[in-house]
Each structure stands twice: as structure tokens, then as C-alpha cells.
Amino acid sequence: SVNIVAFGNERDGFSEDNQQPSLICSYLGRSALISQIDSSLSASHVGNPVFTEYQACVFGNVRLVVHDCPAWDIFDSDWYTSCRLLGGADIIVIKYSVNDKTSFQELKDSYVPMVKKALNHCSVPVIISAIGARKNGVPCTCPLCTSDRRSCVTTSEGVQLAKELGATYLELHTLNDFYIQKYFGGVLEYFMIQTLNQKSSEKMKKRKKMQKCHRVQPPQLEQPEKMPILKGEASHYNADLHNLLCCCQCADVAFYPEDLSTAVEAHKIILCSVSHLFMLLFGVRSPSGAHDAPVVQLARSLFAVEAADPFPSSPRGVPPCAPPARVVVKDSVFCSCLPDILHFIYSGAFQWERLEEDIKKKLKDPDKTEHVLEKVKCILKTPGKLNTVKDCKSHQIKRLYNTSLRLFFNTPVLADVIFKIQGAAVAAHRAVLVARCEVMAAVFNGNYLEANCILVPVYGVSKDTFLSFLEYLYTDSCCPASILQAMSLLICAEMYQVMRLQHICELYIITQLQSMPSRELASTSLSIVSLLRKAKFHNSDCLSTWLLHFIATNYLIFSQKPEFQELSVEERNFVEMHRWPSNLYLKQLADYRNYIHSQKCHCTVM
């Protein structure tokens, strides 16, 4: 069989045709060597396909498996799956559009180093395909567009990228029969033939080795039992923050119409995380330190902050009992749509079509609708740059929270709670904590002392572990530095009942242990039995079961360690039952060795 993994999107950001077939799909459909094509989608959660899997036959009866991953986000959201795909690949195809300079730069800066790390100097052929004819048009005037149609990826840039990866560089100006079958197909089929030849050669070498000892065959060692597979939990990051708006917990700002008849509550940190306009309005310093004149003008014309409720300037934030800051919305039409706009922002600011539809239904006036939408675009605009939202299409808008909320992680800006841990002070924001952690929500909204205190002591966890825990709450990602740190973070996650973080730590520990060579596993000072004890004590049933299987699979290594004696009787029985290699195999091996010795011949296998 031949396994091909393709990454990247060959469509540029300006294309209106989302039904255009992909490079891989076009090749499989047009090549005369391909037959019996079947495809299926794999998804991290419903509605968000991670990759498409194609299965077909090539060269008559050779099984061909292709995984086509159009989005590079798999390296951010599921590093374990992306490494598994790259590790099993015989050929790697990297695609990009020559008219999407932004995506190419992101590929070069962020994802090529990840691919290098995953390949780890493996000799896997890589094909880089630059797709499309370069356009020289008028630059886009959309206020939310970051790309310039005159900015294309040059041939020299593509060749340089190919040199970095040791790859073969191809330019496909269009996806017609010539470029698909003869150009791209010819190179791909050459690498497929090379892969099959290499596999056939390795198989022949193994067969010759087995034939050398022809008198009595040695016992066959079966593969160890398959360990239980841990499946990751889908992210509910945007849903958590959207629920915060619906529940109105920890609200610190209220928007009013000019007649002060109604109020719409919100949270400064969420608003400031997606808009520099709100940073300006609430006195938060922008990371760039600059504000565009249109943004400043819009802030003054659209909002007015009541002088009776000044915005906090103290690093410790406002007390929990302080009333929300009052902001008057001067534009009555915009004010009537404010609930829908806040729902759009709190949902991650990527459902633009839904926002358009909601505002059209409410206003029923095209001019007013356009008026409100233009103000929303200006609110989301980044000072000094073209906007990060291309043409306001949902499939092109990236999530904002997991990068922008990071700006407020472990900083006193807008903070309203200080955690005291190991003699250090860690600033945080109740709104984020309540939204992302049910235990924190119970503490700050219940009849607890912490509900009315700014200083909250934390016990039973180290400062570094607690900072990693808070980083996950703010960014929905974590990167443990070691297995022990991952276990400490798992314990903290169990303490605060954040199940998804607990599963992430479990997967990290499993991945690190699986990648350990036998020699390192035998010499490491890391106690697997100690990890097993902690996993059981902190209700990590999946990890504890996996660790027992891991000890059984590496029985010859762990049975020689002193920690093996610390296993309980029940655990020891489980390990003995599932041990690898089994007692039966060891007995057969001993009998075979005795036979070889009695025949006075030398076995090349043993």
C-alpha cells in the first residue's frame, strides 16, 4: 500500500468558487492508473471536517490511501493526530495558492517548522505544489481585508521553501489535464513507484532472513495487545464565553440608549479582546500603542461613558461589588441591534452571515442594515493594518479569543481578582474564570468568602501549574514541558473539574511515554507506578488503565525495576495476564534454543 498525506488549501482568498475540485480530488478523478475510489470525512466535531480520506487502487491492485487536510489548523487543534498522519506517510504533498501571500507566510513561519519536527529527519519525499496563475489586479478596498491582490507568492519564494524541506517544487498554473496528469501526476507516480520498490526490497530482505534457518522455525512472537485509545474532547471555548453573555454573570459594563430605558450588560475584557475601539473606550492601552483616526472618531460619535462611573486605573481592578460602568449608545439604530452584535462577538466573531441575517430581519431597511454593519466592521478593525476579516465570510474569519484573550493573561489590566499562591500574586478576571470553570463560577457567585474578596489564596498547587491552568482557561490550549508537569496540571484540572484539560494532559502523557525508546524507558528515573497511583487517586480512569497496559506491554523492562513490587495484588494479576511477551512464548523460545544447541548448529536469527 501507499499512504499519501496532503496539507494546505490551493484556493486563494479571493475565489468565489468554493465548489472547485481540489488538487488531490482532481488527480484521483482524472488519472488512468486510479480505480475504485472511495472517500470519507473525518471531523474533530460536527461540522468541522479535519481531513478527507480517499481509498483507491493504483497500478492494478496496490492499495492507495490519501488523507487530504485543507486546513493547517489541525497542527494547532490536534497535534497528536497530525503527527500520526505524518508518521505514517509515504509521500507528503504541500499545497498553496500563489495568490494568497498571507496563507503562504503563515505556512512558512508557523507550520513548516512543525512539519520538520514531526518528520524528524525521516527520508519521506515531499512535493510542494504552487497552484494558480498570478493575478495583477487593483488592491481590494474592503475595510476588513488583509490581502493585496498585487501581492503574490513568487517562484523564488516557493523554491526557497522547497529547499528548506528538501522537497520537489512544482508550479501548476491551472488544474487541467496537462498539469494534473502529466506534470503533477508524473512526479507523484514516480515517488509511488519508488516507495513500492523500497517496500518490496525490505520485504524481500526479511523473507531471506527467515529462509536461512530452514530446519526448525523459531516461535512466532505475536504483537502485544492493543492499548485502549483515548479520544480527545471537542472544544467548547466559544460556547463557554457565549453562555457568559446569556447568564450576565460578573458583568462590569452596561450599555444604555439615550433615554436610559433599558440596559444591555457585557464584560470589558471580552469586548477589549476583539476590538481596539473598546480598548480606547475603557482606557486600556493597545498592544500597538496606536489608534486609527476613524476608530477614535467612531468611539466618540457612537458611545459616551458616564462620568459618574470612571473606568478603573488601579492594577488591582474594581471590587466585585462595584456597579457596572454605564455607557450611553448615541446611535439609536445601532443600539437596537446591540444584543445581536454582542451575541456575534461573544460567539467568537466568525458567524458574519448570521449577524447580517439577524440585523436584516430586525431593521427591514437595507440602508440602516448597511449603516450598522459598517460600524461593526470598523469596531473590529485593527489600528494601523487592514482588517483581519476578509470580505466578512464566516469560513474565512478566524477565532479571535484564543489569541486576543492571551493579551490579558497574567496581567493586571482590567483584573478584578488576585490569586495569592506560594507568596506570589497572579492577576485574573472573574468573567473568564466563571465562563470557563464551573468550580470557579460556584466560588465567585455562591455564598463563599471569595465571592466578595479581591485577594483569593490558592493551596495545594504550585504557581507554575496554576499559571498553566489559567493559560488554558484564557487560550483553550496548553503546552506542558514534561510528563511530571502534565501530571501536576492534570491534578489541578481534576481539582477544578475542567475535564477537557484533564483529557489533554492524559493524551500528552501517553504520547510522551509511547515515544520513549526501550533503552530510555529502562534507564529513566520516572516512576510509572507513581503516575499510576496519582491517576487512580485523581479519578483519571482512562490514564490508569492505559498505564497498566503499558507496564504489561513492557513487562521485561518494568519487572526488573524496584517499583514493580509496589503494584497491588489486583494490578499484578492484570499485568501478568496481559504481559508481553507471554510465558508461553518464552517457553517455546527456550525449547527452540535447546534444540539448536543439541543440533550443534548456529542460528542466524537468534
Side-chain angles (χ1 to χ4, degrees):
S1 66
V2 177
N3 294 312
I4 300 176
V5 177
F7 290 102
N9 193 347
E10 57 270 42
R11 303 183 184 96
D12 59 53
F14 311 103
S15 176
E16 297 292 337
D17 184 11
N18 292 326
Q19 303 302 322
Q20 179 186 355
S22 66
L23 172 63
I24 297 299
C25 184
S26 299
Y27 169 73
L28 294 176
R30 298 182 184 184
S31 176
L33 301 177
I34 306 295
S35 62
Q36 302 178 18
I37 303 173
D38 186 21
S39 65
S40 61
L41 291 177
S42 174
S44 60
H45 56 84
V46 177
N48 184 16
V50 174
F51 59 80
T52 304
E53 178 178 303
Y54 299 93
Q55 295 193 16
C57 290
V58 63
F59 305 126
N61 60 351
V62 177
R63 182 168 173 262
L64 177 65
V65 180
V66 183
H67 292 92
D68 190 7
C69 309
W72 286 96
D73 292 341
I74 186 175
F75 281 87
D76 298 327
S77 61
D78 197 346
W79 172 250
Y80 180 79
T81 299
S82 58
C83 285
R84 180 173 57 82
L85 289 176
L86 285 173
D90 296 317
I91 302 171
I92 297 174
V93 178
I94 296 177
K95 309 166 291 178
Y96 65 86
S97 170
V98 297
N99 293 304
D100 195 344
K101 187 66 171 285
T102 302
S103 297
F104 175 81
Q105 199 63 39
E106 185 179 16
L107 159 65
K108 181 180 178 182
D109 296 340
S110 301
Y111 299 114
V112 166
M114 293 184 182
V115 173
K116 287 183 179 179
K117 180 181 178 182
L119 290 178
N120 196 21
H121 306 293
C122 295
S123 58
V124 178
V126 180
I127 302 174
I128 294 183
S129 300
I131 300 172
R134 293 177 176 83
K135 301 177 182 179
N136 293 311
V138 180
C140 181
T141 58
C142 172
L144 302 180
C145 185
T146 55
S147 292
D148 189 334
R149 296 195 182 196
R150 296 174 300 180
S151 181
C152 299
V153 183
T154 63
T155 301
S156 60
E157 290 175 323
V159 171
Q160 181 62 34
L161 179 64
K163 287 181 179 179
E164 291 181 16
L165 285 173
T168 300
Y169 177 75
L170 302 177
E171 279 201 0
L172 311 177
H173 299 301
T174 181
L175 299 183
N176 58 19
D177 288 337
F178 172 80
Y179 284 103
I180 291 293
Q181 295 188 48
K182 296 184 179 180
Y183 195 22
F184 173 78
V187 174
L188 185 63
E189 287 155 13
Y190 168 80
F191 284 126
M192 283 195 284
I193 293 172
Q194 293 295 318
T195 299
L196 292 173
N197 289 339
Q198 182 180 356
K199 289 186 176 182
S200 177
S201 176
E202 292 173 355
K203 187 175 181 181
M204 186 62 68
K205 288 180 181 178
K206 290 182 180 179
R207 182 177 300 174
K208 288 182 178 179
K209 281 187 177 181
M210 296 299 295
Q211 290 175 349
K212 286 184 180 179
C213 187
H214 57 277
R215 291 189 180 91
V216 177
Q217 296 297 323
Q220 298 296 317
L221 179 61
E222 297 180 353
Q223 293 296 320
E225 292 186 14
K226 290 186 176 181
M227 297 186 185
I229 299 176
L230 271 69
K231 295 184 178 180
E233 180 182 343
S235 173
H236 39 78
Y237 188 74
N238 288 338
D240 289 342
L241 295 177
H242 184 261
N243 291 336
L244 178 66
L245 176 66
C246 299
C247 299
C248 289
Q249 295 177 329
C250 302
D252 55 2
V253 60
F255 293 93
Y256 291 87
E258 290 187 307
D259 59 2
L260 303 179
S261 58
T262 57
V264 179
E265 293 185 331
H267 307 82
K268 295 177 185 176
I269 184 173
I270 304 297
L271 299 177
C272 291
S273 69
V274 298
S275 172
H276 287 257
L277 183 144
F278 287 115
M279 285 187 176
L280 175 66
L281 191 67
F282 297 138
V284 177
R285 181 176 177 80
S286 168
S288 62
H291 295 289
D292 277 357
V295 175
V296 176
Q297 184 178 359
L298 178 63
R300 293 174 178 173
S301 63
L302 193 57
F303 301 107
V305 181
E306 288 197 357
D309 295 306
F311 294 100
S313 57
S314 171
R316 295 180 176 270
V318 296
C321 57
R326 296 162 66 96
V327 178
V328 176
V329 183
K330 300 178 182 180
D331 190 323
S332 60
V333 177
F334 184 88
C335 187
S336 66
C337 300
L338 188 58
D340 298 307
I341 296 170
L342 290 178
H343 277 282
F344 165 72
I345 291 176
Y346 275 71
S347 297
F350 66 91
Q351 297 178 346
W352 182 263
E353 287 89 349
R354 181 174 177 180
L355 176 64
E356 282 184 319
E357 190 66 25
D358 290 343
I359 293 179
K360 285 178 182 178
K361 288 182 180 179
K362 177 170 289 187
L363 299 180
K364 298 178 181 179
D365 185 329
D367 294 335
K368 291 182 179 180
T369 300
E370 184 65 24
H371 168 76
V372 172
L373 292 176
E374 286 300 321
K375 290 187 181 298
V376 175
K377 292 177 184 178
C378 192
I379 287 175
L380 297 178
K381 189 174 186 294
T382 302
K385 299 180 181 179
L386 293 176
N387 206 285
T388 55
V389 184
K390 294 181 181 178
D391 301 327
C392 296
K393 300 294 184 182
S394 289
H395 68 276
Q396 295 172 333
I397 300 177
K398 295 185 177 181
R399 293 178 182 176
L400 302 178
Y401 292 136
N402 55 359
T403 55
S404 54
L405 268 183
R406 185 184 294 274
L407 298 174
F408 298 94
F409 165 63
N410 195 23
T411 64
V413 179
L414 297 179
D416 52 7
V417 62
I418 304 292
F419 291 104
K420 297 291 290 185
I421 178 169
Q422 292 184 335
V426 178
H429 307 80
R430 292 172 186 261
V432 177
L433 303 178
V434 168
R436 297 281 287 138
C437 177
E438 293 182 1
V439 173
M440 292 284 191
V443 167
F444 290 123
N445 293 318
N447 297 321
Y448 294 97
L449 181 63
E450 292 84 356
N452 296 314
C453 293
I454 294 180
L455 293 176
V456 177
V458 177
Y459 305 103
V461 63
S462 69
K463 176 189 172 184
D464 291 338
T465 301
F466 191 70
L467 281 174
S468 298
F469 172 72
L470 289 181
E471 183 179 13
Y472 170 79
L473 297 185
Y474 277 74
T475 66
D476 202 41
S477 63
C478 71
C479 236
S482 64
I483 292 177
L484 292 179
Q485 185 180 0
M487 178 56 74
S488 299
L489 189 55
L490 183 149
I491 294 172
C492 183
E494 191 269 340
M495 182 190 307
Y496 288 99
Q497 294 296 294
V498 182
M499 295 297 102
R500 183 170 181 268
L501 176 58
Q502 190 171 350
H503 293 157
I504 291 175
C505 293
E506 290 174 344
L507 285 173
Y508 177 87
I509 293 172
I510 290 173
T511 302
Q512 292 299 309
L513 289 177
Q514 281 181 328
S515 64
M516 271 193 184
S518 298
R519 183 175 297 179
E520 182 180 352
L521 197 60
S523 61
T524 183
S525 60
L526 179 67
S527 174
I528 305 300
V529 176
S530 176
L531 294 179
L532 175 63
R533 289 280 172 270
K534 292 178 180 179
K536 282 192 170 184
F537 185 80
H538 293 282
N539 304 311
S540 182
D541 297 332
C542 294
L543 180 59
S544 60
T545 302
W546 188 91
L547 288 172
L548 275 177
H549 277 276
F550 184 70
I551 294 174
T553 302
N554 297 275
Y555 183 87
L556 296 180
I557 294 176
F558 287 108
S559 62
Q560 304 300 318
K561 292 193 172 189
E563 63 181 285
F564 188 78
Q565 306 303 321
E566 300 175 11
L567 292 172
S568 65
V569 175
E570 180 182 357
E571 293 166 347
R572 183 81 65 85
N573 291 337
F574 179 90
V575 170
E576 293 289 346
M577 182 180 300
H578 298 85
R579 60 173 288 179
W580 185 86
S582 64
N583 282 322
L584 176 61
Y585 170 80
L586 295 178
K587 183 179 181 303
Q588 292 174 345
L589 181 61
D591 293 342
Y592 175 75
R593 285 175 171 169
N594 290 335
Y595 170 79
I596 295 298
H597 181 71
S598 65
Q599 297 296 316
K600 296 182 179 180
C601 65
H602 180 69
C603 174
T604 57
V605 175
M606 302 305 298

